[in-house]
Amino acid sequence: MTVRAVELPRLWMPYPLRVNPYLSALHEESESWAREMGMLAGDEGPPDHRPIWTRSTFHAMTVDQLTAWTLPDASLAGLRLNHRFNIWALAWDDYFAAAFKQTGDLPGALVFTARLHAFLRPEQGARLPEPTNAVERGIADLQQRLFPPRLAHWRHEFNRALAKYIDAGVEELANSRSGRIPHLIDYAPFRRESFAAYTAPYSVELATGARIPEQIRNSRTVRALLDAFMDVMGLANDIASYEREVNEERDVNNLVLVVGTSLGITLHDAVPAALNLVNARLRDFEHLRQSELPLLVRRSGLDHGERAELETWLHGAEGFLAGLHAWYTGAPRYTSSDVSYPT
């Protein structure tokens, strides 16, 4: 039985989809950076050229829409930068799946991952290794661009998030090789890492120019809100990508399998249970946003400017979730549905 054979409750999304006005400009240049990095087949590439996608496969992912839908408030410069990061993250995912997950090559994955760590250098102007493939070339290029001066505080945090992302790929591969399906209690925190969800607050900051104020950033309420924000992303992705990951790639790192195995229930019951879990995490985000965060703001004595900046960031985070939801439910990477969205 497949996910599509089950009568599903709907994924809940209370926030409207907003589209960045620069989407058309992004669409026009969508291929340029991927081609320059050697990610596309049929291009003149470097001597070590090993393409990850065909041109048609690349365009079917609609990465330009993903970027413009998740970051509706970004400037054109910020949108371009996030677009390149989204392309790189998908390139890493597809390259790793083809080269290591499908072959079960754990030693090769460890070598590949160790080399990528050498590119995650937080020091300004750090000397990087010479790239040997499209994924390395992409991250080397991004390391020169991702950290505008006003967001210098993010240099270490963002690279730590990327390190978690690439390390999680090795753990996913080890799980699949051994047939070990993670337990539900452990899975949500792990999925934040394997989805690169820890990079999302940075993307929202870059798009909106707003930060969560320093004096409340490490509070229990804000940590819980960020956890819920990140959980919705990765766990919803598991449901959208179930067919590709489980039936095609034979991956065991998927919320539907995790719920079914951990609770000892059938796929027929695990699918709606997983959907309800994602909806519950979004309700947690909404509760914290509407009920607990205002109390924290009052107790912390944030001034008018700090409150306005927090609201701007939160509005950006809501737009990010709405855009991801639209992409999961409409992009050919996940569905053959005829659902249409603004362009």
Side-chain angles (χ1 to χ4, degrees):
M1 180 183 294
T2 69
V3 165
R4 295 193 188 100
V6 179
E7 187 68 29
L8 301 180
R10 292 180 63 85
L11 277 172
W12 179 53
M13 180 45 60
Y15 315 122
L17 174 64
R18 297 185 293 124
V19 182
N20 191 289
Y22 295 113
L23 172 58
S24 59
L26 206 62
H27 182 71
E28 291 174 3
E29 60 186 46
S30 186
E31 284 184 32
S32 56
W33 186 75
R35 185 185 301 112
E36 182 184 347
M37 296 300 105
M39 296 172 180
L40 298 183
D43 298 321
E44 290 294 329
D48 57 6
H49 183 47
R50 180 182 176 183
I52 297 170
W53 302 300
T54 65
R55 187 169 181 269
S56 60
T57 301
F58 174 76
H59 283 286
M61 294 190 299
T62 60
V63 190
D64 53 342
Q65 288 185 329
L66 165 66
T67 309
W69 290 352
T70 54
L71 301 173
D73 305 308
S75 66
L76 180 56
L79 202 68
R80 283 172 170 155
L81 186 55
N82 275 277
H83 185 236
R84 291 179 180 186
F85 174 70
N86 286 337
I87 291 172
W88 180 84
L90 290 166
W92 175 89
D93 189 37
D94 287 354
Y95 182 95
F96 194 90
F100 307 115
K101 286 186 176 179
Q102 292 176 13
T103 63
D105 182 8
L106 184 56
L110 289 167
V111 172
F112 174 70
T113 299
R115 275 194 55 84
L116 279 183
H117 273 280
F119 289 89
L120 304 180
R121 298 286 301 277
E123 307 86 12
Q124 186 74 39
R127 185 178 179 86
L128 303 179
E130 188 67 26
T132 61
N133 56 60
V135 175
E136 290 181 357
R137 192 172 298 106
I139 194 60
D141 186 76
L142 285 172
Q143 287 290 305
Q144 309 305 315
R145 305 172 187 271
L146 274 172
F147 306 104
R150 67 181 177 80
L151 293 177
H153 64 280
W154 264 101
R155 180 173 287 275
H156 288 81
E157 290 92 332
F158 191 81
N159 275 321
R160 277 200 294 266
L162 286 182
K164 291 177 182 179
Y165 178 49
I166 62 177
D167 285 344
V170 174
E171 186 170 343
E172 286 186 328
L173 174 55
N175 288 341
S176 293
R177 274 176 42 120
S178 66
R180 177 189 174 272
I181 299 174
H183 193 279
L184 181 58
I185 291 175
D186 303 318
Y187 187 66
F190 173 64
R191 191 65 179 115
R192 295 170 205 155
E193 299 178 355
S194 67
F195 187 69
Y198 285 101
T199 67
Y202 168 84
S203 293
V204 173
E205 282 195 26
L206 189 60
T208 62
R211 298 188 68 198
I212 297 174
E214 188 75 38
Q215 64 203 83
I216 66 170
R217 190 175 306 134
N218 294 317
S219 66
R220 183 206 64 82
T221 298
V222 169
R223 289 199 307 269
L225 181 132
L226 288 174
D227 285 349
F229 173 61
M230 293 185 287
D231 285 347
V232 172
M233 297 177 212
L235 298 181
N237 177 271
D238 277 1
I239 296 169
S241 60
Y242 176 91
E243 298 290 340
R244 181 170 59 88
E245 289 182 354
V246 177
N247 291 336
E248 297 175 19
E249 298 176 1
R250 304 302 176 193
D251 198 344
V252 300
N253 304 279
N254 185 279
L255 180 64
V256 176
L257 289 183
V258 166
V259 168
T261 302
S262 298
L263 302 183
I265 57 179
T266 66
L267 175 64
H268 186 279
D269 294 326
V271 173
L275 278 159
N276 286 329
L277 181 59
V278 177
N279 289 341
R281 288 307 275 152
L282 187 51
R283 286 195 296 272
D284 291 339
F285 178 84
E286 267 293 280
H287 170 76
L288 290 158
R289 164 88 171 86
Q290 299 293 339
S291 299
E292 295 194 26
L293 198 57
L295 295 175
L296 175 65
V297 167
R298 287 196 292 273
R299 288 199 308 268
S300 302
L302 298 184
D303 62 29
H304 177 75
E306 290 168 327
R307 293 185 184 204
E309 188 166 11
L310 176 61
E311 283 301 315
T312 298
W313 187 92
L314 289 167
H315 190 53
E318 292 168 355
F320 196 97
L321 292 177
L324 269 181
H325 178 268
W327 192 63
Y328 291 159
T329 55
R333 182 177 176 90
Y334 298 110
T335 179
S336 58
S337 169
D338 293 329
V339 174
S340 61
Y341 291 96
T343 59

mmCIF file of all heavy atoms in Angstrom, residues 56-80:
data_model
loop_
_atom_site.group_PDB
_atom_site.id
_atom_site.type_symbol
_atom_site.label_atom_id
_atom_site.label_comp_id
_atom_site.label_asym_id
_atom_site.label_seq_id
_atom_site.Cartn_x
_atom_site.Cartn_y
_atom_site.Cartn_z
ATOM 1 N N SER A 56 15.857 19.129 -17.508
ATOM 2 C CA SER A 56 14.424 18.953 -17.236
ATOM 3 C C SER A 56 14.186 18.583 -15.770
ATOM 4 O O SER A 56 13.224 19.050 -15.153
ATOM 5 C CB SER A 56 13.831 17.888 -18.158
ATOM 6 O OG SER A 56 14.473 16.643 -17.975
ATOM 7 N N THR A 57 15.052 17.742 -15.206
ATOM 8 C CA THR A 57 14.919 17.384 -13.788
ATOM 9 C C THR A 57 15.097 18.610 -12.908
ATOM 10 O O THR A 57 14.355 18.818 -11.938
ATOM 11 C CB THR A 57 15.958 16.314 -13.407
ATOM 12 O OG1 THR A 57 15.758 15.158 -14.213
ATOM 13 C CG2 THR A 57 15.822 15.935 -11.939
ATOM 14 N N PHE A 58 16.074 19.426 -13.245
ATOM 15 C CA PHE A 58 16.325 20.635 -12.461
ATOM 16 C C PHE A 58 15.109 21.554 -12.463
ATOM 17 O O PHE A 58 14.661 22.037 -11.421
ATOM 18 C CB PHE A 58 17.546 21.362 -13.007
ATOM 19 C CG PHE A 58 17.800 22.690 -12.343
ATOM 20 C CD1 PHE A 58 18.349 22.754 -11.078
ATOM 21 C CD2 PHE A 58 17.471 23.887 -12.978
ATOM 22 C CE1 PHE A 58 18.581 23.980 -10.460
ATOM 23 C CE2 PHE A 58 17.692 25.105 -12.376
ATOM 24 C CZ PHE A 58 18.247 25.153 -11.107
ATOM 25 N N HIS A 59 14.543 21.798 -13.633
ATOM 26 C CA HIS A 59 13.408 22.721 -13.709
ATOM 27 C C HIS A 59 12.157 22.129 -13.070
ATOM 28 O O HIS A 59 11.306 22.878 -12.571
ATOM 29 C CB HIS A 59 13.161 23.137 -15.158
ATOM 30 C CG HIS A 59 14.131 24.162 -15.648
ATOM 31 N ND1 HIS A 59 14.080 25.478 -15.251
ATOM 32 C CD2 HIS A 59 15.218 24.063 -16.456
ATOM 33 C CE1 HIS A 59 15.070 26.155 -15.804
ATOM 34 N NE2 HIS A 59 15.775 25.316 -16.545
ATOM 35 N N ALA A 60 12.036 20.807 -13.062
ATOM 36 C CA ALA A 60 10.879 20.192 -12.417
ATOM 37 C C ALA A 60 10.871 20.426 -10.914
ATOM 38 O O ALA A 60 9.806 20.378 -10.277
ATOM 39 C CB ALA A 60 10.848 18.688 -12.703
ATOM 40 N N MET A 61 12.026 20.702 -10.327
ATOM 41 C CA MET A 61 12.089 20.959 -8.882
ATOM 42 C C MET A 61 11.543 22.329 -8.527
ATOM 43 O O MET A 61 11.246 22.590 -7.364
ATOM 44 C CB MET A 61 13.533 20.837 -8.387
ATOM 45 C CG MET A 61 14.094 19.446 -8.478
ATOM 46 S SD MET A 61 15.682 19.271 -7.617
ATOM 47 C CE MET A 61 16.701 20.450 -8.501
ATOM 48 N N THR A 62 11.436 23.227 -9.491
ATOM 49 C CA THR A 62 10.928 24.594 -9.288
ATOM 50 C C THR A 62 11.552 25.257 -8.056
ATOM 51 O O THR A 62 10.858 25.769 -7.184
ATOM 52 C CB THR A 62 9.382 24.612 -9.178
ATOM 53 O OG1 THR A 62 8.960 23.801 -8.067
ATOM 54 C CG2 THR A 62 8.740 24.100 -10.451
ATOM 55 N N VAL A 63 12.900 25.262 -8.029
ATOM 56 C CA VAL A 63 13.590 25.854 -6.887
ATOM 57 C C VAL A 63 13.341 27.359 -6.822
ATOM 58 O O VAL A 63 13.339 27.956 -5.745
ATOM 59 C CB VAL A 63 15.101 25.560 -6.949
ATOM 60 C CG1 VAL A 63 15.776 25.959 -5.636
ATOM 61 C CG2 VAL A 63 15.354 24.094 -7.231
ATOM 62 N N ASP A 64 13.131 27.976 -7.984
ATOM 63 C CA ASP A 64 12.834 29.408 -7.981
ATOM 64 C C ASP A 64 11.529 29.696 -7.250
ATOM 65 O O ASP A 64 11.431 30.649 -6.474
ATOM 66 C CB ASP A 64 12.805 29.960 -9.406
ATOM 67 C CG ASP A 64 11.891 29.185 -10.335
ATOM 68 O OD1 ASP A 64 11.521 28.034 -10.015
ATOM 69 O OD2 ASP A 64 11.531 29.722 -11.398
ATOM 70 N N GLN A 65 10.512 28.850 -7.474
ATOM 71 C CA GLN A 65 9.256 29.024 -6.748
ATOM 72 C C GLN A 65 9.433 28.751 -5.260
ATOM 73 O O GLN A 65 8.893 29.476 -4.419
ATOM 74 C CB GLN A 65 8.180 28.111 -7.336
ATOM 75 C CG GLN A 65 7.682 28.563 -8.691
ATOM 76 C CD GLN A 65 6.540 27.700 -9.196
ATOM 77 O OE1 GLN A 65 6.462 26.514 -8.902
ATOM 78 N NE2 GLN A 65 5.665 28.299 -9.983
ATOM 79 N N LEU A 66 10.163 27.685 -4.922
ATOM 80 C CA LEU A 66 10.433 27.407 -3.508
ATOM 81 C C LEU A 66 11.005 28.639 -2.828
ATOM 82 O O LEU A 66 10.551 29.031 -1.736
ATOM 83 C CB LEU A 66 11.418 26.236 -3.399
ATOM 84 C CG LEU A 66 12.090 26.032 -2.035
ATOM 85 C CD1 LEU A 66 11.056 25.633 -0.990
ATOM 86 C CD2 LEU A 66 13.202 24.999 -2.125
ATOM 87 N N THR A 67 11.975 29.275 -3.446
ATOM 88 C CA THR A 67 12.634 30.424 -2.833
ATOM 89 C C THR A 67 11.696 31.622 -2.739
ATOM 90 O O THR A 67 11.609 32.279 -1.694
ATOM 91 C CB THR A 67 13.886 30.796 -3.641
ATOM 92 O OG1 THR A 67 14.698 29.637 -3.837
ATOM 93 C CG2 THR A 67 14.695 31.853 -2.918
ATOM 94 N N ALA A 68 10.993 31.908 -3.804
ATOM 95 C CA ALA A 68 10.110 33.080 -3.821
ATOM 96 C C ALA A 68 8.886 32.882 -2.944
ATOM 97 O O ALA A 68 8.321 33.855 -2.435
ATOM 98 C CB ALA A 68 9.684 33.390 -5.255
ATOM 99 N N TRP A 69 8.441 31.638 -2.780
ATOM 100 C CA TRP A 69 7.286 31.373 -1.913
ATOM 101 C C TRP A 69 7.669 31.412 -0.438
ATOM 102 O O TRP A 69 6.866 31.838 0.397
ATOM 103 C CB TRP A 69 6.692 30.009 -2.241
ATOM 104 C CG TRP A 69 5.994 29.936 -3.567
ATOM 105 C CD1 TRP A 69 5.705 30.960 -4.419
ATOM 106 C CD2 TRP A 69 5.502 28.753 -4.203
ATOM 107 N NE1 TRP A 69 5.060 30.497 -5.544
ATOM 108 C CE2 TRP A 69 4.926 29.142 -5.437
ATOM 109 C CE3 TRP A 69 5.491 27.402 -3.869
ATOM 110 C CZ2 TRP A 69 4.333 28.228 -6.323
ATOM 111 C CZ3 TRP A 69 4.909 26.488 -4.747
ATOM 112 C CH2 TRP A 69 4.338 26.907 -5.955
ATOM 113 N N THR A 70 8.860 30.939 -0.088
ATOM 114 C CA THR A 70 9.236 30.898 1.326
ATOM 115 C C THR A 70 9.765 32.226 1.836
ATOM 116 O O THR A 70 9.748 32.475 3.041
ATOM 117 C CB THR A 70 10.303 29.817 1.585
ATOM 118 O OG1 THR A 70 11.418 30.014 0.697
ATOM 119 C CG2 THR A 70 9.732 28.425 1.391
ATOM 120 N N LEU A 71 10.237 33.085 0.928
ATOM 121 C CA LEU A 71 10.838 34.363 1.334
ATOM 122 C C LEU A 71 10.175 35.509 0.586
ATOM 123 O O LEU A 71 10.807 36.206 -0.218
ATOM 124 C CB LEU A 71 12.344 34.337 1.069
ATOM 125 C CG LEU A 71 13.112 33.218 1.786
ATOM 126 C CD1 LEU A 71 14.554 33.174 1.316
ATOM 127 C CD2 LEU A 71 13.034 33.369 3.291
ATOM 128 N N PRO A 72 8.903 35.748 0.836
ATOM 129 C CA PRO A 72 8.172 36.757 0.060
ATOM 130 C C PRO A 72 8.640 38.181 0.303
ATOM 131 O O PRO A 72 8.375 39.060 -0.509
ATOM 132 C CB PRO A 72 6.722 36.570 0.528
ATOM 133 C CG PRO A 72 6.829 35.947 1.881
ATOM 134 C CD PRO A 72 8.034 35.065 1.823
ATOM 135 N N ASP A 73 9.369 38.417 1.407
ATOM 136 C CA ASP A 73 9.773 39.783 1.747
ATOM 137 C C ASP A 73 11.217 40.092 1.386
ATOM 138 O O ASP A 73 11.688 41.208 1.627
ATOM 139 C CB ASP A 73 9.588 40.016 3.260
ATOM 140 C CG ASP A 73 8.169 39.715 3.707
ATOM 141 O OD1 ASP A 73 7.237 40.258 3.098
ATOM 142 O OD2 ASP A 73 7.990 38.927 4.659
ATOM 143 N N ALA A 74 11.932 39.141 0.792
ATOM 144 C CA ALA A 74 13.362 39.324 0.537
ATOM 145 C C ALA A 74 13.611 40.303 -0.608
ATOM 146 O O ALA A 74 12.828 40.387 -1.559
ATOM 147 C CB ALA A 74 14.016 37.985 0.217
ATOM 148 N N SER A 75 14.732 41.010 -0.519
ATOM 149 C CA SER A 75 15.197 41.812 -1.638
ATOM 150 C C SER A 75 15.661 40.883 -2.752
ATOM 151 O O SER A 75 15.844 39.680 -2.541
ATOM 152 C CB SER A 75 16.366 42.696 -1.197
ATOM 153 O OG SER A 75 17.482 41.880 -0.863
ATOM 154 N N LEU A 76 15.885 41.432 -3.940
ATOM 155 C CA LEU A 76 16.362 40.595 -5.039
ATOM 156 C C LEU A 76 17.710 39.973 -4.697
ATOM 157 O O LEU A 76 17.948 38.797 -4.984
ATOM 158 C CB LEU A 76 16.458 41.417 -6.319
ATOM 159 C CG LEU A 76 16.958 40.666 -7.562
ATOM 160 C CD1 LEU A 76 16.100 39.444 -7.851
ATOM 161 C CD2 LEU A 76 16.996 41.597 -8.772
ATOM 162 N N ALA A 77 18.594 40.743 -4.065
ATOM 163 C CA ALA A 77 19.907 40.202 -3.691
ATOM 164 C C ALA A 77 19.764 39.070 -2.682
ATOM 165 O O ALA A 77 20.413 38.029 -2.802
ATOM 166 C CB ALA A 77 20.784 41.314 -3.132
ATOM 167 N N GLY A 78 18.919 39.277 -1.663
ATOM 168 C CA GLY A 78 18.702 38.222 -0.674
ATOM 169 C C GLY A 78 18.042 37.002 -1.280
ATOM 170 O O GLY A 78 18.357 35.857 -0.921
ATOM 171 N N LEU A 79 17.122 37.232 -2.204
ATOM 172 C CA LEU A 79 16.438 36.124 -2.857
ATOM 173 C C LEU A 79 17.416 35.295 -3.690
ATOM 174 O O LEU A 79 17.394 34.059 -3.657
ATOM 175 C CB LEU A 79 15.322 36.667 -3.745
ATOM 176 C CG LEU A 79 14.195 35.695 -4.096
ATOM 177 C CD1 LEU A 79 13.376 35.345 -2.870
ATOM 178 C CD2 LEU A 79 13.300 36.298 -5.175
ATOM 179 N N ARG A 80 18.285 35.975 -4.432
ATOM 180 C CA ARG A 80 19.283 35.257 -5.238
ATOM 181 C C ARG A 80 20.187 34.397 -4.360
ATOM 182 O O ARG A 80 20.507 33.262 -4.696
ATOM 183 C CB ARG A 80 20.127 36.256 -6.022
ATOM 184 C CG ARG A 80 19.434 36.828 -7.248
ATOM 185 C CD ARG A 80 20.261 37.934 -7.850
ATOM 186 N NE ARG A 80 19.750 38.353 -9.151
ATOM 187 C CZ ARG A 80 19.945 39.549 -9.669
ATOM 188 N NH1 ARG A 80 20.633 40.464 -8.998
ATOM 189 N NH2 ARG A 80 19.463 39.846 -10.861
#
